[in-house]
Amino acid sequence: MVPENVAYELYSLDQQYALGLVHDGIIAHVDKLLHRAIERGASDIHVQPHEHVLVIRERIDGRLYDAEHVDQELAPLIISRLKILARMDIAKRRLPQDGRINVIFHPTAHVDRAIDIRVSSFPTLHGEKLVLRILDQGTRLINFEALGLSEPMQKTMHQLLQRPHGLFLVTGPTGCGKTTMLYAILTMLNSRSKNMVTIEDPIEYVLPGVSQSQINVTAGFTFDIGLRALLRQDPDIIMLGEIRDKETANIAMEAALTGHLVFSTLHTNDALSAVIRLIEMGVEPFLISATLIGVLAQRLVRRLCPCCKQENTAPASLQPAIHTSHYGPLKNVYKQTGCASCSQVGFKGQIGIFQLLPIDQQLAALIGIQDHAALHALCEKQGVQSLAHDGLSKVEQGITTLDEVFSVAQ
């Protein structure tokens, strides 16, 4: 068992030989599995038992790829080793569990990175399936300007973020980079003159100078309880991991009404749907109109590999979708091919596509009277661009492909 609060040192096979730390068997196999995934920049590792084989898959740039097939007889040993590293009960196989591995990753002899791996187990027909979420402190937190927002969006965002109080929401499905966006915003706003506090589930990255807390439902520490207590801590800026229910939403808006700048997330398809979702939760429309200052909807698409992308033509089947996006004819379209630099995939990394909805007085008035048709009409009149429109601009710049954009944005 790995002692509590002690990080697991992860070396490559060559480094292990050089240091005289060579392991055999299952320990070496698991070390190689972890090292390979981190080196490739995977966000998740799936350890999935089937009837005759254990399949190891890695999620890279939002897509799952088979990394390894292992004999079924080794599956219990590999799963037990990972559970031991994550301080989980290896005897408990019929109930889901959660664990955590603190890793010091040594990509070279003179460099090391702190990596947090969240492990969850789930009982299946052929044994326990493990999913390992890799949270790399050294690579995932990026500059706000590098997230992919267009210059006009960045300018509007900077104006919104200078507000002394209000509620700003980031929306989208799971895995679209909402938390990364919130962390980038907090990093940009971070100042010794401000008291910045977060309530998260879980804490994914450590932000220097920010007081971060993690909810614990078992202990009775929930989002709404934490947020009520937080308001007595004299905060200037609050980041709430997610608005999940009416009570949490009301407290967040109460905080925004009483002079705090509040950031949070919702699961909605586009920016305007966030307003409708809050009303469906039971939040009073006048509260929304009085506190909401802006909504940013986002998705992630894969970046074309700059070394091997090739010019292409827009297929006829996608012309109706392009027309519906009100973008106009595309001057440049590119496609992926594959090379050694991108491991023959054709893509390397991810970038966001966005829809930004600043809430002005006209929109706030329509929110207050719940006139959804008029809201849509006003957004169109004000030129609020769709996710697809922003994606098509990135297609034209040679950043991504049409298929990538229309796979996440209608």
Side-chain angles (χ1 to χ4, degrees):
M1 180 71 71
V2 177
E4 199 73 33
N5 299 324
V6 174
Y8 184 68
E9 303 275 342
L10 189 61
Y11 297 92
S12 69
L13 190 59
D14 290 342
Q15 289 171 321
Q16 289 180 30
Y17 276 115
L19 295 169
L21 299 172
V22 179
H23 299 298
D24 294 320
I26 295 301
I27 293 177
H29 200 133
V30 170
D31 281 4
K32 180 182 176 183
L33 179 158
L34 295 174
H35 196 282
R36 177 184 60 218
I38 296 169
E39 204 167 47
R40 289 179 178 176
S43 61
D44 302 86
I45 306 171
H46 289 236
V47 182
Q48 185 170 355
H50 293 264
E51 186 175 3
H52 302 297
V53 69
L54 179 72
V55 178
I56 311 296
R57 298 195 291 171
E58 297 169 353
R59 188 177 295 278
I60 301 172
D61 296 336
R63 300 296 194 277
L64 276 172
Y65 300 94
D66 283 10
E68 184 181 359
H69 286 198
V70 183
D71 290 341
Q72 177 62 22
E73 61 194 35
L74 296 179
L77 301 176
I78 290 174
I79 290 169
S80 292
R81 172 62 180 167
L82 287 167
K83 289 175 71 175
I84 287 170
L85 290 175
R87 306 179 186 95
M88 297 159 70
D89 187 347
I90 62 172
K92 188 187 293 184
R93 301 186 182 93
R94 297 181 181 179
L95 290 173
Q97 292 187 71
D98 292 306
R100 181 173 177 172
I101 309 173
N102 297 315
V103 170
I104 300 297
F105 178 61
H106 300 275
T108 68
H110 305 291
V111 177
D112 56 66
R113 298 206 311 260
I115 293 175
D116 190 17
I117 300 178
R118 307 292 171 92
V119 184
S120 67
S121 71
F122 190 80
T124 70
L125 177 63
H126 300 296
E128 286 181 286
K129 177 183 178 182
L130 300 185
V131 175
L132 290 72
R133 168 61 57 90
I134 300 171
L135 304 173
D136 189 343
Q137 300 278 355
T139 61
R140 295 296 297 278
L141 280 181
I142 55 178
N143 188 282
F144 176 78
E145 281 72 22
L147 291 170
L149 290 156
S150 65
E151 286 190 19
M153 282 192 192
Q154 284 192 40
K155 183 178 179 181
T156 304
M157 282 283 288
H158 280 289
Q159 291 170 351
L160 292 173
L161 300 179
Q162 295 307 312
R163 298 274 192 95
H165 55 81
L167 174 65
F168 186 89
L169 295 174
V170 180
T171 76
T174 301
C176 72
K178 297 188 297 295
T179 303
T180 299
M181 174 59 74
L182 288 181
Y183 280 143
I185 289 171
L186 290 182
T187 301
M188 181 177 65
L189 296 178
N190 200 354
S191 166
R192 292 182 63 86
S193 65
K194 291 184 173 68
N195 178 21
M196 304 174 67
V197 191
T198 74
I199 304 176
E200 306 171 57
D201 181 28
I203 295 171
E204 294 192 8
Y205 308 103
V206 177
L207 296 174
V210 179
S211 301
Q212 296 174 263
S213 60
Q214 180 170 311
I215 72 165
N216 186 336
V217 177
T218 305
F221 184 49
T222 58
F223 275 121
D224 56 323
I225 290 174
L227 190 51
R228 285 190 188 280
L230 178 55
L231 293 178
R232 298 190 291 271
Q233 290 282 307
D234 188 30
D236 296 299
I237 297 174
I238 299 168
M239 191 270 266
L240 184 63
E242 183 182 349
I243 292 178
R244 296 179 177 176
D245 51 43
K246 176 184 176 181
E247 188 169 9
T248 306
N250 280 330
I251 302 168
M253 291 180 183
E254 178 187 324
L257 276 173
T258 53
H260 306 93
L261 190 57
V262 182
F263 298 97
S264 192
T265 69
L266 271 180
H267 292 275
T268 64
N269 289 329
D270 57 28
L272 191 54
S273 295
V275 174
I276 299 167
R277 174 76 181 115
L278 289 170
I279 293 172
E280 287 175 348
M281 279 183 177
V283 180
E284 292 292 345
F286 76 87
L287 270 179
I288 303 171
S289 63
T291 58
L292 193 62
I293 61 173
V295 184
L296 181 73
Q298 65 180 62
R299 300 289 190 278
L300 288 178
V301 294
R302 292 182 291 177
R303 285 178 178 266
L304 280 165
C305 174
C307 299
C308 63
K309 67 181 181 182
Q310 292 183 357
E311 287 192 28
N312 195 18
T313 55
S317 60
L318 290 178
Q319 290 298 341
I322 296 170
H323 178 73
T324 304
S325 303
H326 305 294
Y327 191 83
L330 290 169
K331 297 177 183 177
N332 304 301
V333 178
Y334 297 83
K335 67 177 181 178
Q336 75 277 19
T337 54
C339 65
S341 177
C342 60
S343 303
Q344 306 302 325
V345 175
F347 296 95
K348 201 170 186 180
Q350 291 177 288
I351 192 169
I353 61 173
F354 305 95
Q355 180 190 39
L356 179 60
L357 176 64
I359 306 298
D360 60 15
Q361 289 184 343
Q362 285 182 290
L363 283 169
L366 293 176
I367 292 170
I369 61 174
Q370 298 188 62
D371 192 337
H372 296 165
L375 277 171
H376 282 281
L378 183 58
C379 287
E380 189 170 334
K381 181 180 177 182
Q382 291 181 345
V384 176
Q385 296 178 350
S386 66
L387 286 160
H389 193 284
D390 186 51
L392 290 172
S393 73
K394 290 179 171 66
V395 169
E396 203 162 43
Q397 294 170 57
I399 297 172
T400 190
T401 66
L402 283 169
D403 286 338
E404 281 292 300
V405 171
F406 288 120
S407 70
V408 297
Q410 300 275 329

